[in-house]
C-alpha cells in the first residue's frame, strides 16, 4: 500500500475543473516532484491534497486513511505537514516557543531535540525572537515547526521560490534528508531539474492534467521532456 494514493482527482475553485483526473502515488521514503509550466495546476493539486481546494472529486488516501472528507486541520493530525511560503513562523515568539506551540506535539522536549538535529543553526538561537532571524533561519524554523508533530508526509509548494540563491541548495539538501527521518516528501518546484535530482519519481502537469509520470532520472534524461517542461538549462 502506498503512503499516499490519489485517484481520479479533479477539482477547482469554481465550476470549471482546474486539475483533472490526476492519479498519483507516493511510497514511504520517497521524494516525488510535481513539475510543469506556470498555471499548470500544481498549486491547485497541492491545495486539494491539503484540503484547501473548494471543490474536489476523487480519492486521496494517506496511510490507509481517506482524507477527502477531512478538513485541512484534521489532515494535519492524520500526518500531513505543510510549510507555507509566507507567515510560516510567529515573529514575536522565540525559536523555542515557535517549536513548542505546535498543537499535537506530545513529547515536546524529546521531539524538539530530534528535530533540531537537522537544524544545528537554530540550536544556538533558541531564545531569540523569530523576527530577529535571517530569512534562511526563518525558513529552517518553519521546516522544524512542520516536523514537530512527526508527520508522515511533508508537502512543499515551491520551497525555494522566495530564497536567495545561496539558500536554495540548502533547502534541497534539507529536503533530501527527510525520508531517512521517516518523512516522505511531495514537492512542487519551479527549479524542476534540481528537484528531480533529489527525487525518486516525478509527475509533469500541463493544463491541469498529468502528461507524464516516471522515474526522476529518466525524465531528466529525456530531451523532449526537459525542453518542453523543465526550461532550457
Ligand atoms: N484562488 C483561485 N481562484 C480561481 N482560480 C485560480 C485560483 N488559484 C489559481 N487559479 C487558477 O488555476 C490555474 C492553475 O493555477 P495554479 O494551480 O496556481 O498553477 P501552478 O501552481 O502550476 O502555477 C490558473 O489558471 C489559475 O489562474
Ligand atoms: Mg504554484
Amino acid at each position: 500500500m502506498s503512503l499516499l494514493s490519489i485517484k481520479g482527482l479533479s477539482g477547482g475553485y469554481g465550476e470549471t475543473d482546474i486539475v483533472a483526473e490526476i492519479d498519483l502515488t507516493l511510497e514511504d521514503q520517497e521524494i516525488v516532484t510535481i513539475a510543469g509550466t506556470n498555471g499548470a495546476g500544481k498549486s491547485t493539486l497541492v491545495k486539494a491534497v491539503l484540503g484547501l481546494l473548494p471543490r474536489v472529486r476523487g480519492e486521496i488516501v494517506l496511510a490507509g486513511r481517506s482524507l477527502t472528507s477531512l478538513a485541512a486541520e484534521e489532515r494535519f493530525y492524520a500526518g500531513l505537514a505543510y510549510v507555507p511560503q509566507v507567515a510560516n513562523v510567529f515573529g514575536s515568539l522565540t525559536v523555542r516557543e515557535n517549536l513548542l506551540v505546535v498543537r499535537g506535539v506530545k513529547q515536546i522536549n524529546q521531539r524538539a531535540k530530534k528535530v533540531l538535529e537537522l537544524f544545528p543553526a537554530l540550536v544556538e538561537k533558541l531564545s531569540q525572537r523569530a523576527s530577529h532571524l535571517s530569512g534562511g533561519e526563518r525558513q529552517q524554523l518553519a521546516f522544524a515547526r512542520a516536523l514537530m508533530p512527526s508527520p508522515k508526509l511533508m508537502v512543499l509548494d515551491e520551497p525555494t521560490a522566495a530564497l536567495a540563491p545561496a539558500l536554495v541548495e540548502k533547502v534541497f539538501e534539507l529536503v533530501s534528508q527527510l525520508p531517512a527521518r521517516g518523512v516522505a516528501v511531495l514537492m512542487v518546484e519551479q527549479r524542476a531539474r534540481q528537484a528531480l535530482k533529489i527525487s525518486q519519481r516525478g509527475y509533469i502537469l500541463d493544463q491541469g492534467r498529468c502528461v507524464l509520470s516516471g522515474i526522476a532520472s529518466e525524465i531528466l534524461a529525456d530531451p523532449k521532456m526537459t525542453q518542453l517542461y523543465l526550461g532550457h538549462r
Side-chain angles (χ1 to χ4, degrees):
M1 186 184 68
S2 299
L3 175 63
L4 177 73
S5 167
I6 296 176
K7 271 198 203 126
L9 187 136
S10 303
Y13 306 89
E15 276 177 24
T16 39
D17 283 345
I18 300 289
V19 288
E21 292 161 43
I22 305 283
D23 293 323
L24 182 152
T25 57
L26 192 149
E27 311 301 325
D28 280 316
Q29 306 268 316
E30 249 193 337
I31 300 176
V32 168
T33 287
I34 301 169
T37 49
N38 239 334
K42 305 182 296 295
S43 294
T44 301
L45 174 57
V46 162
K47 284 180 208 161
V49 173
L50 295 171
L52 301 172
L53 192 64
R55 202 176 46 75
V56 178
R57 303 189 306 286
E59 238 178 65
I60 307 171
V61 177
L62 178 70
R65 185 167 177 200
S66 173
L67 296 186
T68 20
S69 63
L70 298 185
E73 194 186 356
E74 295 169 303
R75 296 185 194 202
F76 167 84
Y77 291 112
L80 203 59
Y82 174 57
V83 181
Q85 261 186 38
V86 288
N88 49 23
V89 299
F90 296 108
S92 61
L93 299 185
T94 65
V95 169
R96 182 183 290 105
E97 287 164 345
N98 262 284
L99 294 177
L100 302 190
V101 293
V102 178
R103 283 176 58 196
V105 173
K106 291 184 190 88
Q107 292 174 301
I108 284 174
N109 293 322
Q110 232 173 306
R111 181 64 194 159
K113 243 187 184 163
K114 194 116 199 88
V115 166
L116 284 167
E117 283 173 9
L118 274 169
F119 309 94
L122 291 181
V123 176
E124 292 150 33
K125 310 218 161 170
L126 283 173
S127 304
Q128 276 196 23
R129 278 176 200 269
S131 57
H132 293 169
L133 299 177
S134 71
E137 289 163 348
R138 253 204 298 272
Q139 173 93 345
Q140 289 194 18
L141 180 56
F143 269 89
R145 276 174 54 80
L147 289 170
M148 282 299 287
S150 304
K152 299 182 180 85
L153 174 65
M154 185 171 277
V155 178
L156 300 167
D157 191 354
E158 304 205 12
T160 71
L163 295 182
L167 294 172
V168 169
E169 208 51 56
K170 286 219 156 73
V171 169
F172 284 121
E173 196 186 307
L174 169 64
V175 169
S176 63
Q177 291 175 311
L178 294 179
R181 311 227 164 204
V183 186
V185 180
L186 181 64
M187 171 168 56
V188 169
E189 251 301 328
Q190 254 336 300
R191 294 177 167 91
R193 286 165 202 271
Q194 271 173 285
L196 285 167
K197 274 186 195 141
I198 61 160
S199 299
Q200 278 71 52
R201 292 184 301 113
Y203 289 79
I204 294 183
L205 295 194
D206 191 10
Q207 297 182 36
R209 287 174 185 269
C210 178
V211 290
L212 178 86
S213 68
I215 308 287
S217 58
E218 290 175 6
I219 296 175
L220 282 167
D222 183 338
K224 205 167 125 218
M225 280 303 141
T226 52
Q227 217 176 46
L228 274 176
Y229 298 110
L230 309 185
H232 305 264
R233 197 152 53 82

